[in-house]
PDB file of all heavy atoms in Angstrom:
ATOM      1  N   PHE A 289     -18.195 -19.213   9.968  1.00  0.00           N
ATOM      2  CA  PHE A 289     -17.227 -19.159   8.871  1.00  0.00           C
ATOM      3  C   PHE A 289     -16.408 -17.878   8.954  1.00  0.00           C
ATOM      4  O   PHE A 289     -16.953 -16.774   8.958  1.00  0.00           O
ATOM      5  CB  PHE A 289     -17.952 -19.222   7.520  1.00  0.00           C
ATOM      6  CG  PHE A 289     -16.994 -19.294   6.360  1.00  0.00           C
ATOM      7  CD1 PHE A 289     -16.141 -20.374   6.213  1.00  0.00           C
ATOM      8  CD2 PHE A 289     -16.931 -18.259   5.429  1.00  0.00           C
ATOM      9  CE1 PHE A 289     -15.230 -20.428   5.154  1.00  0.00           C
ATOM     10  CE2 PHE A 289     -16.035 -18.309   4.375  1.00  0.00           C
ATOM     11  CZ  PHE A 289     -15.185 -19.405   4.244  1.00  0.00           C
ATOM     12  N   TRP A 290     -15.075 -18.057   9.061  1.00  0.00           N
ATOM     13  CA  TRP A 290     -14.157 -16.918   9.060  1.00  0.00           C
ATOM     14  C   TRP A 290     -13.645 -16.732   7.635  1.00  0.00           C
ATOM     15  O   TRP A 290     -12.835 -17.544   7.173  1.00  0.00           O
ATOM     16  CB  TRP A 290     -12.976 -17.173  10.000  1.00  0.00           C
ATOM     17  CG  TRP A 290     -13.334 -17.277  11.449  1.00  0.00           C
ATOM     18  CD1 TRP A 290     -13.532 -18.432  12.151  1.00  0.00           C
ATOM     19  CD2 TRP A 290     -13.530 -16.203  12.378  1.00  0.00           C
ATOM     20  NE1 TRP A 290     -13.833 -18.145  13.455  1.00  0.00           N
ATOM     21  CE2 TRP A 290     -13.840 -16.769  13.625  1.00  0.00           C
ATOM     22  CE3 TRP A 290     -13.469 -14.818  12.278  1.00  0.00           C
ATOM     23  CZ2 TRP A 290     -14.090 -16.010  14.767  1.00  0.00           C
ATOM     24  CZ3 TRP A 290     -13.717 -14.053  13.411  1.00  0.00           C
ATOM     25  CH2 TRP A 290     -14.023 -14.648  14.625  1.00  0.00           C
ATOM     26  N   ARG A 291     -14.114 -15.686   6.978  1.00  0.00           N
ATOM     27  CA  ARG A 291     -13.698 -15.430   5.591  1.00  0.00           C
ATOM     28  C   ARG A 291     -12.196 -15.083   5.541  1.00  0.00           C
ATOM     29  O   ARG A 291     -11.473 -15.488   4.646  1.00  0.00           O
ATOM     30  CB  ARG A 291     -14.557 -14.276   5.042  1.00  0.00           C
ATOM     31  CG  ARG A 291     -14.150 -13.705   3.709  1.00  0.00           C
ATOM     32  CD  ARG A 291     -14.501 -14.694   2.614  1.00  0.00           C
ATOM     33  NE  ARG A 291     -14.039 -14.257   1.316  1.00  0.00           N
ATOM     34  CZ  ARG A 291     -12.790 -14.366   0.889  1.00  0.00           C
ATOM     35  NH1 ARG A 291     -11.863 -14.847   1.696  1.00  0.00           N
ATOM     36  NH2 ARG A 291     -12.446 -14.002  -0.315  1.00  0.00           N
ATOM     37  N   TYR A 292     -11.782 -14.292   6.522  1.00  0.00           N
ATOM     38  CA  TYR A 292     -10.370 -13.891   6.614  1.00  0.00           C
ATOM     39  C   TYR A 292      -9.827 -14.390   7.952  1.00  0.00           C
ATOM     40  O   TYR A 292      -9.789 -13.647   8.930  1.00  0.00           O
ATOM     41  CB  TYR A 292     -10.231 -12.365   6.512  1.00  0.00           C
ATOM     42  CG  TYR A 292     -10.836 -11.803   5.254  1.00  0.00           C
ATOM     43  CD1 TYR A 292     -12.028 -11.075   5.284  1.00  0.00           C
ATOM     44  CD2 TYR A 292     -10.234 -12.019   4.019  1.00  0.00           C
ATOM     45  CE1 TYR A 292     -12.595 -10.572   4.124  1.00  0.00           C
ATOM     46  CE2 TYR A 292     -10.800 -11.527   2.840  1.00  0.00           C
ATOM     47  CZ  TYR A 292     -11.978 -10.804   2.913  1.00  0.00           C
ATOM     48  OH  TYR A 292     -12.537 -10.312   1.752  1.00  0.00           O
ATOM     49  N   ALA A 293      -9.421 -15.654   7.978  1.00  0.00           N
ATOM     50  CA  ALA A 293      -9.000 -16.239   9.262  1.00  0.00           C
ATOM     51  C   ALA A 293      -7.537 -15.925   9.557  1.00  0.00           C
ATOM     52  O   ALA A 293      -7.204 -15.372  10.599  1.00  0.00           O
ATOM     53  CB  ALA A 293      -9.235 -17.744   9.256  1.00  0.00           C
ATOM     54  N   ARG A 294      -6.676 -16.292   8.603  1.00  0.00           N
ATOM     55  CA  ARG A 294      -5.236 -16.108   8.827  1.00  0.00           C
ATOM     56  C   ARG A 294      -4.584 -15.641   7.530  1.00  0.00           C
ATOM     57  O   ARG A 294      -4.862 -16.190   6.466  1.00  0.00           O
ATOM     58  CB  ARG A 294      -4.566 -17.433   9.214  1.00  0.00           C
ATOM     59  CG  ARG A 294      -5.056 -18.023  10.506  1.00  0.00           C
ATOM     60  CD  ARG A 294      -4.255 -19.283  10.791  1.00  0.00           C
ATOM     61  NE  ARG A 294      -4.754 -19.999  11.935  1.00  0.00           N
ATOM     62  CZ  ARG A 294      -5.671 -20.941  11.861  1.00  0.00           C
ATOM     63  NH1 ARG A 294      -6.180 -21.273  10.705  1.00  0.00           N
ATOM     64  NH2 ARG A 294      -6.065 -21.554  12.960  1.00  0.00           N
ATOM     65  N   PRO A 295      -3.684 -14.673   7.621  1.00  0.00           N
ATOM     66  CA  PRO A 295      -3.009 -14.232   6.395  1.00  0.00           C
ATOM     67  C   PRO A 295      -2.006 -15.292   5.929  1.00  0.00           C
ATOM     68  O   PRO A 295      -1.299 -15.880   6.758  1.00  0.00           O
ATOM     69  CB  PRO A 295      -2.279 -12.958   6.838  1.00  0.00           C
ATOM     70  CG  PRO A 295      -2.068 -13.144   8.302  1.00  0.00           C
ATOM     71  CD  PRO A 295      -3.197 -13.983   8.811  1.00  0.00           C
ATOM     72  N   VAL A 296      -1.983 -15.544   4.635  1.00  0.00           N
ATOM     73  CA  VAL A 296      -1.005 -16.511   4.102  1.00  0.00           C
ATOM     74  C   VAL A 296       0.004 -15.806   3.196  1.00  0.00           C
ATOM     75  O   VAL A 296       1.072 -16.334   2.912  1.00  0.00           O
ATOM     76  CB  VAL A 296      -1.692 -17.686   3.357  1.00  0.00           C
ATOM     77  CG1 VAL A 296      -2.356 -18.618   4.339  1.00  0.00           C
ATOM     78  CG2 VAL A 296      -2.712 -17.207   2.332  1.00  0.00           C
ATOM     79  N   LYS A 297      -0.352 -14.608   2.720  1.00  0.00           N
ATOM     80  CA  LYS A 297       0.623 -13.785   1.991  1.00  0.00           C
ATOM     81  C   LYS A 297       0.633 -12.433   2.698  1.00  0.00           C
ATOM     82  O   LYS A 297      -0.378 -11.730   2.715  1.00  0.00           O
ATOM     83  CB  LYS A 297       0.222 -13.659   0.525  1.00  0.00           C
ATOM     84  CG  LYS A 297       1.252 -13.010  -0.316  1.00  0.00           C
ATOM     85  CD  LYS A 297       1.153 -13.398  -1.780  1.00  0.00           C
ATOM     86  CE  LYS A 297       2.214 -12.689  -2.565  1.00  0.00           C
ATOM     87  NZ  LYS A 297       1.859 -11.302  -2.903  1.00  0.00           N
ATOM     88  N   LEU A 298       1.784 -12.109   3.286  1.00  0.00           N
ATOM     89  CA  LEU A 298       1.848 -10.955   4.184  1.00  0.00           C
ATOM     90  C   LEU A 298       2.515  -9.750   3.546  1.00  0.00           C
ATOM     91  O   LEU A 298       3.254  -9.877   2.562  1.00  0.00           O
ATOM     92  CB  LEU A 298       2.628 -11.341   5.456  1.00  0.00           C
ATOM     93  CG  LEU A 298       1.861 -12.181   6.474  1.00  0.00           C
ATOM     94  CD1 LEU A 298       1.910 -13.644   6.115  1.00  0.00           C
ATOM     95  CD2 LEU A 298       2.403 -11.965   7.865  1.00  0.00           C
ATOM     96  N   HIS A 299       2.289  -8.583   4.143  1.00  0.00           N
ATOM     97  CA  HIS A 299       3.021  -7.372   3.770  1.00  0.00           C
ATOM     98  C   HIS A 299       4.384  -7.435   4.476  1.00  0.00           C
ATOM     99  O   HIS A 299       4.459  -7.895   5.623  1.00  0.00           O
ATOM    100  CB  HIS A 299       2.229  -6.141   4.234  1.00  0.00           C
ATOM    101  CG  HIS A 299       2.839  -4.863   3.807  1.00  0.00           C
ATOM    102  ND1 HIS A 299       2.688  -4.356   2.530  1.00  0.00           N
ATOM    103  CD2 HIS A 299       3.625  -3.982   4.473  1.00  0.00           C
ATOM    104  CE1 HIS A 299       3.361  -3.223   2.446  1.00  0.00           C
ATOM    105  NE2 HIS A 299       3.934  -2.974   3.601  1.00  0.00           N
ATOM    106  N   PRO A 300       5.466  -6.964   3.831  1.00  0.00           N
ATOM    107  CA  PRO A 300       6.797  -7.152   4.440  1.00  0.00           C
ATOM    108  C   PRO A 300       7.127  -6.241   5.627  1.00  0.00           C
ATOM    109  O   PRO A 300       8.173  -6.417   6.245  1.00  0.00           O
ATOM    110  CB  PRO A 300       7.758  -6.882   3.272  1.00  0.00           C
ATOM    111  CG  PRO A 300       6.981  -6.045   2.316  1.00  0.00           C
ATOM    112  CD  PRO A 300       5.543  -6.416   2.478  1.00  0.00           C
ATOM    113  N   GLU A 301       6.269  -5.267   5.931  1.00  0.00           N
ATOM    114  CA  GLU A 301       6.557  -4.396   7.086  1.00  0.00           C
ATOM    115  C   GLU A 301       5.430  -4.453   8.112  1.00  0.00           C
ATOM    116  O   GLU A 301       4.323  -4.861   7.794  1.00  0.00           O
ATOM    117  CB  GLU A 301       6.756  -2.956   6.609  1.00  0.00           C
ATOM    118  CG  GLU A 301       8.134  -2.784   6.002  1.00  0.00           C
ATOM    119  CD  GLU A 301       8.250  -1.579   5.106  1.00  0.00           C
ATOM    120  OE1 GLU A 301       7.324  -0.760   5.080  1.00  0.00           O
ATOM    121  OE2 GLU A 301       9.280  -1.482   4.433  1.00  0.00           O
ATOM    122  N   ARG A 302       5.740  -3.979   9.342  1.00  0.00           N
ATOM    123  CA  ARG A 302       4.782  -4.141  10.450  1.00  0.00           C
ATOM    124  C   ARG A 302       3.525  -3.288  10.302  1.00  0.00           C
ATOM    125  O   ARG A 302       2.523  -3.536  10.964  1.00  0.00           O
ATOM    126  CB  ARG A 302       5.455  -3.841  11.788  1.00  0.00           C
ATOM    127  CG  ARG A 302       6.427  -4.928  12.213  1.00  0.00           C
ATOM    128  CD  ARG A 302       6.247  -5.290  13.684  1.00  0.00           C
ATOM    129  NE  ARG A 302       7.255  -6.252  14.098  1.00  0.00           N
ATOM    130  CZ  ARG A 302       7.008  -7.551  14.247  1.00  0.00           C
ATOM    131  NH1 ARG A 302       5.807  -8.035  14.026  1.00  0.00           N
ATOM    132  NH2 ARG A 302       7.972  -8.361  14.622  1.00  0.00           N
TER     133      ARG A 302
END
Side-chain angles (χ1 to χ4, degrees):
F289 185 63
W290 295 98
R291 171 73 185 79
Y292 303 107
R294 297 183 186 90
V296 287
K297 188 155 179 279
L298 283 84
H299 185 80
E301 282 160 10
R302 288 225 185 257

